[in-house]
Amino acid sequence: FELLFFNTAATFKLLRHLDGFRKPKMVAWLHEQPFSILQWYAEDFTSKNLSAFEHLYCVSSQTEKWLINEWQLPAHRLSIVHPFIPISKKGCNDVTLRDAVQGHFIVGGCGLQDWRKGPDLFLQVALYFKIHHSGLPVLFEWVGGESGLTAGLKYELEKMQLTQSVSFAGQMEDTSLFYKRIDCLLLTSREDPFPLVVLEAAAQGKAVLCFDEIGDITSVVKTVSENVVPYGRVDLIAKRILHYLHNKAEAKRDGCQLQEVVTAVSVEQMAATFWKQILTSDRG
């Protein structure tokens, strides 16, 4: 091979198997931020392994700064490249408000049911809504694979008496219907560089809510500044949901505005540019 492309820090474990072989040009695309790297991949995320790469592409500025400040990597060997997905060229006016599901406003959550993605914070938003806005037609639906946190979520779902308003559907092969079904996406992640779920929801013209300082994705969601709230403020998230419940046309408008933004990070726009960067990258 002339080039080896390591996609995520999880692949660093493969480097040990290359000892004794002629190493071709190697680059890595790090989809994780510092907390996740240290939590899951610390054994193989070493100075020796980092030095093996011609270039490291980060999906967030937080990771790039961390590599410079904590690992003393030179800035010229680092770049920020955000993830991208295929996005339809259809205009915003083609996105219509869905028919309400039995008159309910549906708040979607999507991701692995683990601590980083914050499904427990998703529950906290639903609980706050139940306490302060009881009786309003709002449902909370989460799609994503189970983990060690799942049993605890089921426990709290029962204890908080939220089984009628919150559901965890588990893993879903095709999420397109889920995105069409929801009225807005609630990203409760504690750390998330540039999650594709936001791009997927925005491509469907859905408004997105999230906490600040979780990753570069906030720069996209801040297209609607009120939709990025201080970290952990479930009360302010609930306030925005309440606003959209009473102003569904505004939810559509904000979702369509977000759709225009994410079109710029589609595969068609980004893949060729990224490939050109990889071909020309070197140690400088």
Tab-separated table of all heavy atoms in Angstrom, residues 20-64:
chain	number	residue	atom	x	y	z
A	20	GLY	N	7.921	-4.050	12.119
A	20	GLY	CA	8.700	-4.950	11.284
A	20	GLY	C	8.376	-4.859	9.815
A	20	GLY	O	9.073	-5.438	8.980
A	21	PHE	N	7.306	-4.122	9.473
A	21	PHE	CA	6.940	-3.940	8.078
A	21	PHE	C	7.354	-2.549	7.601
A	21	PHE	O	7.447	-1.612	8.396
A	21	PHE	CB	5.423	-4.095	7.885
A	21	PHE	CG	4.939	-5.501	8.044
A	21	PHE	CD1	4.571	-5.992	9.290
A	21	PHE	CD2	4.846	-6.356	6.956
A	21	PHE	CE1	4.118	-7.291	9.459
A	21	PHE	CE2	4.390	-7.658	7.103
A	21	PHE	CZ	4.022	-8.122	8.351
A	22	ARG	N	7.584	-2.449	6.315
A	22	ARG	CA	7.826	-1.119	5.755
A	22	ARG	C	6.536	-0.326	5.873
A	22	ARG	O	5.489	-0.755	5.403
A	22	ARG	CB	8.234	-1.215	4.277
A	22	ARG	CG	8.507	0.142	3.629
A	22	ARG	CD	8.682	0.009	2.125
A	22	ARG	NE	7.409	-0.275	1.461
A	22	ARG	CZ	6.517	0.660	1.116
A	22	ARG	NH1	6.750	1.939	1.395
A	22	ARG	NH2	5.401	0.317	0.494
A	23	LYS	N	6.623	0.819	6.512
A	23	LYS	CA	5.414	1.611	6.733
A	23	LYS	C	5.241	2.627	5.592
A	23	LYS	O	6.120	3.451	5.350
A	23	LYS	CB	5.483	2.337	8.077
A	23	LYS	CG	5.432	1.384	9.280
A	23	LYS	CD	5.431	2.150	10.586
A	23	LYS	CE	5.289	1.199	11.765
A	23	LYS	NZ	6.400	0.251	11.869
A	24	PRO	N	4.128	2.560	4.908
A	24	PRO	CA	3.854	3.550	3.872
A	24	PRO	C	3.428	4.872	4.525
A	24	PRO	O	3.453	5.011	5.752
A	24	PRO	CB	2.691	2.929	3.103
A	24	PRO	CG	1.953	2.149	4.150
A	24	PRO	CD	3.019	1.622	5.079
A	25	LYS	N	3.051	5.812	3.716
A	25	LYS	CA	2.514	7.059	4.253
A	25	LYS	C	1.241	6.736	5.042
A	25	LYS	O	0.393	5.975	4.588
A	25	LYS	CB	2.198	8.020	3.106
A	25	LYS	CG	1.565	9.331	3.534
A	25	LYS	CD	1.338	10.235	2.328
A	25	LYS	CE	0.681	11.542	2.745
A	25	LYS	NZ	0.521	12.463	1.603
A	26	MET	N	1.125	7.326	6.238
A	26	MET	CA	-0.044	7.074	7.076
A	26	MET	C	-0.626	8.389	7.573
A	26	MET	O	0.105	9.300	7.981
A	26	MET	CB	0.328	6.198	8.286
A	26	MET	CG	0.884	4.844	7.894
A	26	MET	SD	0.942	3.670	9.290
A	26	MET	CE	1.990	4.526	10.429
A	27	VAL	N	-1.949	8.485	7.525
A	27	VAL	CA	-2.656	9.634	8.075
A	27	VAL	C	-3.793	9.110	8.938
A	27	VAL	O	-4.223	7.958	8.793
A	27	VAL	CB	-3.216	10.568	6.975
A	27	VAL	CG1	-2.093	11.122	6.108
A	27	VAL	CG2	-4.255	9.848	6.117
A	28	ALA	N	-4.269	9.942	9.852
A	28	ALA	CA	-5.380	9.539	10.731
A	28	ALA	C	-6.415	10.651	10.795
A	28	ALA	O	-6.076	11.842	10.754
A	28	ALA	CB	-4.866	9.219	12.127
A	29	TRP	N	-7.663	10.228	10.910
A	29	TRP	CA	-8.785	11.171	11.074
A	29	TRP	C	-9.396	10.877	12.435
A	29	TRP	O	-10.026	9.836	12.639
A	29	TRP	CB	-9.807	10.961	9.959
A	29	TRP	CG	-10.786	12.086	9.787
A	29	TRP	CD1	-10.727	13.342	10.311
A	29	TRP	CD2	-11.997	12.046	8.997
A	29	TRP	NE1	-11.804	14.093	9.904
A	29	TRP	CE2	-12.599	13.325	9.093
A	29	TRP	CE3	-12.609	11.074	8.223
A	29	TRP	CZ2	-13.795	13.637	8.449
A	29	TRP	CZ3	-13.794	11.383	7.569
A	29	TRP	CH2	-14.374	12.653	7.685
A	30	LEU	N	-9.174	11.762	13.387
A	30	LEU	CA	-9.610	11.550	14.769
A	30	LEU	C	-11.023	12.101	14.972
A	30	LEU	O	-11.238	13.310	14.960
A	30	LEU	CB	-8.638	12.237	15.736
A	30	LEU	CG	-7.188	11.773	15.647
A	30	LEU	CD1	-6.322	12.563	16.615
A	30	LEU	CD2	-7.080	10.274	15.924
A	31	HIS	N	-11.961	11.207	15.208
A	31	HIS	CA	-13.355	11.606	15.410
A	31	HIS	C	-13.687	11.826	16.883
A	31	HIS	O	-14.822	12.158	17.213
A	31	HIS	CB	-14.292	10.541	14.832
A	31	HIS	CG	-14.241	10.445	13.345
A	31	HIS	ND1	-15.143	11.070	12.517
A	31	HIS	CD2	-13.361	9.813	12.529
A	31	HIS	CE1	-14.843	10.815	11.261
A	31	HIS	NE2	-13.759	10.059	11.238
A	32	GLU	N	-12.702	11.633	17.747
A	32	GLU	CA	-12.941	11.750	19.175
A	32	GLU	C	-12.327	13.021	19.738
A	32	GLU	O	-11.386	13.580	19.177
A	32	GLU	CB	-12.344	10.543	19.906
A	32	GLU	CG	-12.896	9.197	19.452
A	32	GLU	CD	-12.194	8.646	18.216
A	32	GLU	OE1	-11.193	9.233	17.773
A	32	GLU	OE2	-12.670	7.628	17.687
A	33	GLN	N	-12.844	13.428	20.901
A	33	GLN	CA	-12.278	14.538	21.651
A	33	GLN	C	-11.503	13.974	22.845
A	33	GLN	O	-11.542	12.775	23.115
A	33	GLN	CB	-13.381	15.508	22.080
A	33	GLN	CG	-13.933	16.270	20.890
A	33	GLN	CD	-14.873	17.406	21.259
A	33	GLN	OE1	-15.199	18.195	20.407
A	33	GLN	NE2	-15.345	17.503	22.485
A	34	PRO	N	-10.744	14.838	23.565
A	34	PRO	CA	-9.837	14.363	24.608
A	34	PRO	C	-10.441	13.408	25.623
A	34	PRO	O	-9.836	12.379	25.948
A	34	PRO	CB	-9.377	15.675	25.262
A	34	PRO	CG	-9.404	16.663	24.148
A	34	PRO	CD	-10.604	16.296	23.338
A	35	PHE	N	-11.620	13.708	26.151
A	35	PHE	CA	-12.200	12.839	27.177
A	35	PHE	C	-12.371	11.417	26.652
A	35	PHE	O	-11.998	10.445	27.315
A	35	PHE	CB	-13.548	13.391	27.649
A	35	PHE	CG	-14.221	12.511	28.680
A	35	PHE	CD1	-13.941	12.671	30.026
A	35	PHE	CD2	-15.100	11.502	28.291
A	35	PHE	CE1	-14.533	11.838	30.977
A	35	PHE	CE2	-15.703	10.678	29.229
A	35	PHE	CZ	-15.418	10.852	30.574
A	36	SER	N	-12.937	11.287	25.466
A	36	SER	CA	-13.197	9.959	24.906
A	36	SER	C	-11.903	9.228	24.585
A	36	SER	O	-11.800	8.008	24.777
A	36	SER	CB	-14.053	10.086	23.645
A	36	SER	OG	-15.323	10.615	23.961
A	37	ILE	N	-10.915	9.948	24.082
A	37	ILE	CA	-9.634	9.316	23.759
A	37	ILE	C	-9.000	8.731	25.013
A	37	ILE	O	-8.537	7.582	25.024
A	37	ILE	CB	-8.688	10.333	23.083
A	37	ILE	CG1	-9.201	10.675	21.671
A	37	ILE	CG2	-7.262	9.774	23.001
A	37	ILE	CD1	-8.444	11.790	20.991
A	38	LEU	N	-8.967	9.521	26.083
A	38	LEU	CA	-8.364	9.048	27.326
A	38	LEU	C	-9.200	7.963	28.000
A	38	LEU	O	-8.679	7.094	28.689
A	38	LEU	CB	-8.158	10.225	28.289
A	38	LEU	CG	-7.138	11.280	27.821
A	38	LEU	CD1	-7.108	12.443	28.805
A	38	LEU	CD2	-5.758	10.670	27.665
A	39	GLN	N	-10.505	8.020	27.794
A	39	GLN	CA	-11.403	7.042	28.416
A	39	GLN	C	-11.287	5.677	27.755
A	39	GLN	O	-11.316	4.643	28.430
A	39	GLN	CB	-12.847	7.546	28.317
A	39	GLN	CG	-13.894	6.632	28.939
A	39	GLN	CD	-13.960	6.762	30.451
A	39	GLN	OE1	-13.253	7.566	31.053
A	39	GLN	NE2	-14.820	5.976	31.071
A	40	TRP	N	-11.151	5.653	26.426
A	40	TRP	CA	-11.256	4.395	25.699
A	40	TRP	C	-9.968	3.930	25.015
A	40	TRP	O	-9.781	2.732	24.803
A	40	TRP	CB	-12.361	4.501	24.635
A	40	TRP	CG	-13.702	4.831	25.203
A	40	TRP	CD1	-14.376	6.011	25.103
A	40	TRP	CD2	-14.544	3.973	25.988
A	40	TRP	NE1	-15.577	5.956	25.768
A	40	TRP	CE2	-15.714	4.706	26.323
A	40	TRP	CE3	-14.415	2.658	26.435
A	40	TRP	CZ2	-16.738	4.169	27.088
A	40	TRP	CZ3	-15.450	2.128	27.190
A	40	TRP	CH2	-16.597	2.881	27.503
A	41	TYR	N	-9.093	4.866	24.640
A	41	TYR	CA	-7.976	4.490	23.773
A	41	TYR	C	-6.609	4.884	24.312
A	41	TYR	O	-5.631	4.943	23.571
A	41	TYR	CB	-8.178	5.125	22.383
A	41	TYR	CG	-9.570	4.928	21.831
A	41	TYR	CD1	-10.397	6.011	21.543
A	41	TYR	CD2	-10.081	3.650	21.620
A	41	TYR	CE1	-11.681	5.818	21.061
A	41	TYR	CE2	-11.363	3.447	21.141
A	41	TYR	CZ	-12.159	4.542	20.861
A	41	TYR	OH	-13.427	4.349	20.384
A	42	ALA	N	-6.519	5.144	25.602
A	42	ALA	CA	-5.272	5.650	26.180
A	42	ALA	C	-4.096	4.696	25.969
A	42	ALA	O	-2.956	5.140	25.784
A	42	ALA	CB	-5.467	5.922	27.671
A	43	GLU	N	-4.336	3.395	25.976
A	43	GLU	CA	-3.253	2.414	25.860
A	43	GLU	C	-2.471	2.584	24.560
A	43	GLU	O	-1.242	2.436	24.541
A	43	GLU	CB	-3.825	0.992	25.949
A	43	GLU	CG	-2.761	-0.094	25.845
A	43	GLU	CD	-3.339	-1.499	25.906
A	43	GLU	OE1	-4.576	-1.622	26.083
A	43	GLU	OE2	-2.566	-2.463	25.766
A	44	ASP	N	-3.168	2.883	23.483
A	44	ASP	CA	-2.510	2.989	22.178
A	44	ASP	C	-2.326	4.423	21.710
A	44	ASP	O	-1.679	4.653	20.690
A	44	ASP	CB	-3.325	2.219	21.122
A	44	ASP	CG	-3.368	0.725	21.423
A	44	ASP	OD1	-2.292	0.095	21.407
A	44	ASP	OD2	-4.466	0.203	21.682
A	45	PHE	N	-2.901	5.367	22.442
A	45	PHE	CA	-2.751	6.770	22.058
A	45	PHE	C	-1.485	7.297	22.737
A	45	PHE	O	-1.518	7.927	23.789
A	45	PHE	CB	-3.977	7.578	22.492
A	45	PHE	CG	-4.177	8.830	21.687
A	45	PHE	CD1	-4.881	8.793	20.496
A	45	PHE	CD2	-3.651	10.037	22.111
A	45	PHE	CE1	-5.075	9.941	19.737
A	45	PHE	CE2	-3.834	11.192	21.361
A	45	PHE	CZ	-4.547	11.145	20.178
A	46	THR	N	-0.338	7.011	22.108
A	46	THR	CA	0.969	7.322	22.673
A	46	THR	C	1.742	8.262	21.756
A	46	THR	O	1.428	8.391	20.565
A	46	THR	CB	1.779	6.034	22.868
A	46	THR	OG1	2.021	5.439	21.576
A	46	THR	CG2	1.041	5.043	23.753
A	47	SER	N	2.776	8.866	22.298
A	47	SER	CA	3.629	9.747	21.496
A	47	SER	C	4.267	8.985	20.345
A	47	SER	O	4.386	9.506	19.227
A	47	SER	CB	4.713	10.375	22.376
A	47	SER	OG	4.150	11.231	23.339
A	48	LYS	N	4.673	7.746	20.612
A	48	LYS	CA	5.276	6.921	19.559
A	48	LYS	C	4.304	6.711	18.412
A	48	LYS	O	4.663	6.860	17.231
A	48	LYS	CB	5.707	5.575	20.135
A	48	LYS	CG	6.274	4.620	19.080
A	48	LYS	CD	6.549	3.243	19.678
A	48	LYS	CE	6.990	2.271	18.581
A	48	LYS	NZ	7.205	0.901	19.128
A	49	ASN	N	3.078	6.349	18.726
A	49	ASN	CA	2.094	6.106	17.673
A	49	ASN	C	1.717	7.391	16.941
A	49	ASN	O	1.536	7.399	15.724
A	49	ASN	CB	0.847	5.451	18.256
A	49	ASN	CG	1.060	3.970	18.534
A	49	ASN	OD1	2.021	3.368	18.061
A	49	ASN	ND2	0.169	3.383	19.317
A	50	LEU	N	1.592	8.485	17.671
A	50	LEU	CA	1.269	9.760	17.030
A	50	LEU	C	2.362	10.182	16.057
A	50	LEU	O	2.080	10.765	14.998
A	50	LEU	CB	1.064	10.849	18.091
A	50	LEU	CG	-0.214	10.742	18.919
A	50	LEU	CD1	-0.174	11.734	20.077
A	50	LEU	CD2	-1.448	10.989	18.060
A	51	SER	N	3.606	9.877	16.399
A	51	SER	CA	4.727	10.279	15.544
A	51	SER	C	4.779	9.489	14.242
A	51	SER	O	5.480	9.867	13.305
A	51	SER	CB	6.052	10.109	16.292
A	51	SER	OG	6.335	8.736	16.524
A	52	ALA	N	4.030	8.391	14.162
A	52	ALA	CA	4.050	7.558	12.962
A	52	ALA	C	3.269	8.168	11.801
A	52	ALA	O	3.448	7.767	10.647
A	52	ALA	CB	3.478	6.178	13.288
A	53	PHE	N	2.432	9.154	12.101
A	53	PHE	CA	1.556	9.698	11.071
A	53	PHE	C	2.139	10.933	10.400
A	53	PHE	O	2.704	11.809	11.057
A	53	PHE	CB	0.185	10.040	11.675
A	53	PHE	CG	-0.573	8.844	12.155
A	53	PHE	CD1	-0.609	8.514	13.499
A	53	PHE	CD2	-1.226	8.020	11.248
A	53	PHE	CE1	-1.296	7.402	13.945
A	53	PHE	CE2	-1.924	6.909	11.684
A	53	PHE	CZ	-1.957	6.589	13.028
A	54	GLU	N	1.957	10.982	9.086
A	54	GLU	CA	2.357	12.172	8.342
A	54	GLU	C	1.494	13.362	8.755
A	54	GLU	O	1.976	14.487	8.865
A	54	GLU	CB	2.194	11.929	6.829
A	54	GLU	CG	3.052	10.819	6.259
A	54	GLU	CD	4.514	11.212	6.209
A	54	GLU	OE1	4.798	12.417	6.054
A	54	GLU	OE2	5.372	10.317	6.330
A	55	HIS	N	0.200	13.080	8.959
A	55	HIS	CA	-0.724	14.165	9.282
A	55	HIS	C	-1.876	13.608	10.106
A	55	HIS	O	-2.277	12.454	9.939
A	55	HIS	CB	-1.264	14.805	7.990
A	55	HIS	CG	-1.624	16.242	8.147
A	55	HIS	ND1	-0.699	17.263	8.010
A	55	HIS	CD2	-2.799	16.854	8.434
A	55	HIS	CE1	-1.293	18.429	8.189
A	55	HIS	NE2	-2.568	18.213	8.456
A	56	LEU	N	-2.393	14.432	10.998
A	56	LEU	CA	-3.543	14.075	11.824
A	56	LEU	C	-4.666	15.066	11.556
A	56	LEU	O	-4.484	16.277	11.703
A	56	LEU	CB	-3.165	14.101	13.303
A	56	LEU	CG	-2.174	13.013	13.754
A	56	LEU	CD1	-1.526	13.404	15.065
A	56	LEU	CD2	-2.882	11.670	13.890
A	57	TYR	N	-5.806	14.532	11.156
A	57	TYR	CA	-6.983	15.361	10.900
A	57	TYR	C	-7.935	15.220	12.084
A	57	TYR	O	-8.248	14.102	12.507
A	57	TYR	CB	-7.666	14.925	9.599
A	57	TYR	CG	-6.778	15.081	8.393
A	57	TYR	CD1	-6.002	14.021	7.941
A	57	TYR	CD2	-6.688	16.297	7.727
A	57	TYR	CE1	-5.164	14.165	6.838
A	57	TYR	CE2	-5.849	16.450	6.627
A	57	TYR	CZ	-5.097	15.380	6.195
A	57	TYR	OH	-4.259	15.527	5.114
A	58	CYS	N	-8.358	16.331	12.630
A	58	CYS	CA	-9.236	16.330	13.803
A	58	CYS	C	-10.614	16.828	13.396
A	58	CYS	O	-10.742	17.726	12.557
A	58	CYS	CB	-8.675	17.247	14.893
A	58	CYS	SG	-6.955	16.930	15.312
A	59	VAL	N	-11.656	16.270	14.014
A	59	VAL	CA	-12.999	16.734	13.690
A	59	VAL	C	-13.442	17.870	14.602
A	59	VAL	O	-14.547	18.375	14.456
A	59	VAL	CB	-14.044	15.592	13.728
A	59	VAL	CG1	-13.674	14.500	12.757
A	59	VAL	CG2	-14.199	15.049	15.124
A	60	SER	N	-12.571	18.268	15.539
A	60	SER	CA	-12.920	19.403	16.393
A	60	SER	C	-11.678	20.201	16.746
A	60	SER	O	-10.574	19.657	16.843
A	60	SER	CB	-13.620	18.946	17.675
A	60	SER	OG	-12.678	18.463	18.611
A	61	SER	N	-11.873	21.483	16.965
A	61	SER	CA	-10.773	22.363	17.360
A	61	SER	C	-10.269	22.015	18.756
A	61	SER	O	-9.095	22.228	19.072
A	61	SER	CB	-11.231	23.834	17.305
A	61	SER	OG	-12.382	24.029	18.097
A	62	GLN	N	-11.140	21.454	19.605
A	62	GLN	CA	-10.732	21.056	20.949
A	62	GLN	C	-9.638	19.979	20.898
A	62	GLN	O	-8.664	20.030	21.653
A	62	GLN	CB	-11.931	20.533	21.750
A	62	GLN	CG	-12.944	21.597	22.112
A	62	GLN	CD	-14.019	21.775	21.057
A	62	GLN	OE1	-13.829	21.408	19.902
A	62	GLN	NE2	-15.149	22.329	21.455
A	63	THR	N	-9.806	19.016	19.994
A	63	THR	CA	-8.809	17.959	19.858
A	63	THR	C	-7.504	18.503	19.297
A	63	THR	O	-6.415	18.146	19.761
A	63	THR	CB	-9.349	16.832	18.953
A	63	THR	OG1	-10.558	16.320	19.519
A	63	THR	CG2	-8.332	15.707	18.831
A	64	GLU	N	-7.609	19.377	18.315
A	64	GLU	CA	-6.400	19.959	17.729
A	64	GLU	C	-5.601	20.738	18.785
A	64	GLU	O	-4.381	20.575	18.903
A	64	GLU	CB	-6.775	20.887	16.575
A	64	GLU	CG	-5.546	21.472	15.865
A	64	GLU	CD	-5.926	22.478	14.802
A	64	GLU	OE1	-6.673	23.433	15.132
A	64	GLU	OE2	-5.481	22.336	13.649
